[in-house]
Amino acid sequence: MTETFEFGSLPARGGFVLAVHDGTGRRLPIRGVLSVGKSPDNDVILDASGVSRAHLEVRATPAAVLVRDLGSKNGTWVNGARITEAHVGPGGIIRVGGPTGIELQIEAEGDARLEPSRAASFGPLIGGSAPMRAVFAILERTAPTAATILISGETGTGKEVCAKAIHEASPRKDGPFVVIDCGAIPHHLIESELFGHRRGAFTDAHADRIGAFESGSGGTLFLDEIGELPLELQPKLLRVIENRTVQRLGDGERRPIDVRLIAATHRDLAREVEAGRFRQDLYFRLAVVSVRMPPLRERGEDVLALAAKQLADLGYPSAFAIEGAVSQALLGYAWPGNVRELRNALERAVHLGAEHALPHGVRSAPPVSAHSAEPVNADVPFKEAKERLVVEFERAYVASLMEKHGGNISSAARDAGIDRNYLYRLLKKHGFDS
């Protein structure tokens, strides 16, 4: 049976383009039919694991692109769902070779591409790295609208801060910002928290109570950790979103709601859909606009700017210099707890001293004391001294990365957030090519 659904609703003027996100930068106009696969006979050749010889084809129609899987082994995926056939509009993402495989994107021919923002901040969010400027570009476009936004990212990357920044940059900024943590509320109470209840609706319901959708009227409702929402409640949430009305527990009346919805999750909701733990239709309703908050390890020197800002926020802007050994240590640590871990580490460092309080990976650097930095040899030109540090960091990072992934270059490149060819060059540069 053929499964057909639509993703993306803006009709293209003048046709469509297929953008291939595999490090090659290829963008091919879709004229008639384009075949995609590993075989040299294809119009778009993808020589990667998980890609079948004849994997899929794309065909332009007046309003969208028809994507058809050709019986591939590992599937064709749109927005996390495996498809046989799908109509995909501009902005739609197709993945080849599994839900985390090579990404193809449908673009409207002639439309301006979403360039990274020139700003290094968006509200309280800061960062000059490419991943953060890509986030800012999306937020600048969508925060002033009523679009529902799904924020994904690892724990501690600042998803709630991002949601609050969207609210503050929207026309609803003077309205309430209501937060519901779907992972922190007991399952038997979350329905009441979201939708409200009438007195006597259940044991301990001693008075009428409005839920989050009503209390957020005129403002923004932020559903944190939406991936933890029980499966049996997901159809009710979907109904509220679609109908823009809410019904309290124990009440027959449906009340209109006026909230802008933002959701967040640390889970891969596409995989949750695949596993049957999250409804596909709800996922599509939430992911009208998707924003991924990058982990700190992908943000390069942003960690130094964040450290300086957080020391200032803690009230100790001059507790210790973020340079020398401290700078090297902050840049060399992977920060699995992300921005939240960085803040906690800095707060400990303020009171106990940087050489004792920072995480294990940071403590491995030469000890430093407050108000000091590692001595450097000023006889060496600045550029040469900096290059030496970069070379040492690159070699140590690549060695650790390849050890972690058992020598699997593709897996290592994905984990590090870098192109596979660039990783090859780093390996060769530092003598790991054998």
Side-chain angles (χ1 to χ4, degrees):
M1 181 178 178
T2 299
E3 177 188 8
T4 303
F5 63 88
E6 297 184 1
F7 178 83
S9 59
L10 297 177
R13 301 188 190 97
F16 300 93
V17 170
L18 182 69
V20 184
H21 296 168
D22 64 348
T24 63
R26 287 178 288 175
R27 297 178 71 250
L28 297 90
I30 303 174
R31 302 282 188 261
V33 179
L34 287 181
S35 59
V36 180
K38 185 175 288 188
S39 169
D41 297 332
N42 289 289
D43 301 303
V44 182
I45 302 169
L46 300 178
D47 187 12
S49 61
V51 179
S52 297
R53 289 182 59 80
H55 201 105
L56 65 92
E57 66 179 23
V58 295
R59 181 192 304 269
T61 71
V65 173
L66 178 63
V67 180
R68 188 165 69 89
D69 185 81
L70 299 177
S72 64
K73 180 179 179 181
N74 293 306
T76 299
W77 304 72
V78 173
N79 230 21
R82 186 168 183 167
I83 60 97
T84 302
E85 192 172 283
H87 286 91
V88 182
I93 298 294
I94 307 161
R95 289 195 182 273
V96 179
T100 59
I102 293 177
E103 181 181 286
L104 312 174
Q105 185 168 16
I106 302 299
E107 299 176 355
E109 190 174 28
D111 282 3
R113 302 181 69 185
L114 194 60
E115 297 292 336
S117 172
R118 295 183 179 181
S121 65
F122 185 87
L125 297 170
I126 66 169
S129 62
M132 285 306 292
R133 290 190 295 113
V135 169
F136 297 157
I138 298 172
L139 300 185
E140 288 165 358
R141 294 279 190 96
T142 58
T145 73
T148 300
I149 298 178
L150 177 64
I151 306 169
S152 62
E154 297 176 6
T155 299
T157 49
K159 297 186 289 295
E160 184 171 345
V161 176
C162 179
K164 186 64 182 295
I166 294 169
H167 172 72
E168 293 294 339
S170 77
R172 295 174 172 264
K173 63 183 180 180
D174 295 327
F177 179 73
V178 177
V179 180
I180 293 290
D181 187 340
C182 298
I185 302 172
H187 283 193
H188 67 283
L189 294 178
I190 192 165
E191 187 172 2
S192 172
E193 291 287 335
L194 287 173
F195 311 134
H197 64 252
R198 289 292 301 272
R199 178 182 177 183
F202 54 87
T203 304
D204 297 330
H206 301 303
D208 289 354
R209 175 176 178 172
I210 65 171
F213 275 94
E214 290 184 80
S215 61
S217 182
T220 302
L221 173 58
F222 175 52
L223 299 181
D224 198 8
E225 295 303 346
I226 190 67
E228 312 306 313
L229 188 69
L231 192 59
E232 62 270 18
L233 280 184
Q234 293 177 22
K236 297 181 180 180
L237 176 59
L238 177 64
R239 195 174 305 117
V240 170
I241 296 172
E242 289 184 334
N243 298 335
R244 308 301 296 176
T245 61
V246 67
Q247 184 175 350
R248 300 177 189 174
L249 290 174
D251 190 357
E253 181 183 355
R254 300 199 68 87
R255 294 173 168 82
I257 56 170
D258 175 28
V259 292
R260 198 250 184 100
L261 189 61
I262 302 175
T265 180
H266 75 281
R267 295 186 181 276
D268 184 339
L269 283 194
R271 292 194 176 185
E272 294 296 293
V273 169
E274 179 188 356
R277 292 187 292 265
F278 202 86
R279 289 180 61 104
Q280 184 184 90
D281 45 9
L282 177 58
Y283 175 52
F284 288 150
R285 281 293 182 180
L286 294 173
V288 175
V289 175
S290 294
V291 177
R292 175 183 175 267
M293 293 297 291
L296 202 47
R297 63 181 176 275
E298 294 180 6
R299 296 178 55 182
E301 293 193 358
D302 280 359
V303 67
L304 304 182
L306 283 165
K309 179 179 185 299
Q310 291 185 357
L311 283 178
D313 291 344
L314 290 167
Y316 299 94
S318 303
F320 48 86
I322 303 176
E323 55 189 30
V326 171
S327 173
Q328 295 172 45
L330 293 174
L331 289 170
Y333 183 60
W335 299 106
N338 294 296
V339 181
R340 184 177 297 130
E341 183 186 7
L342 173 64
R343 180 181 178 87
N344 292 342
L346 291 169
E347 189 168 4
R348 290 195 302 272
V350 163
H351 301 294
L352 301 178
E355 70 275 24
H356 299 294
L358 296 178
H360 174 74
V362 177
R363 288 203 304 269
S364 63
V368 294
S369 53
H371 305 286
S372 71
E374 182 187 50
V376 296
N377 182 3
D379 293 331
V380 178
F382 173 82
K383 184 177 180 181
E384 181 181 340
K386 183 177 181 180
E387 286 176 352
R388 289 180 184 176
L389 289 175
V390 171
V391 168
E392 291 173 6
F393 167 76
E394 283 181 351
R395 181 176 178 82
Y397 183 90
V398 168
S400 176
L401 181 68
M402 296 308 296
E403 181 180 358
K404 176 182 175 183
H405 291 274
N408 187 316
I409 292 177
S410 296
S411 175
R414 283 195 300 270
D415 189 23
I418 58 178
D419 184 80
R420 186 172 59 174
N421 291 330
Y422 179 62
L423 180 54
Y424 271 120
R425 291 196 296 272
L426 286 177
L427 289 168
K428 186 174 182 179
K429 173 182 177 182
H430 296 290
F432 295 111
D433 52 316
S434 61

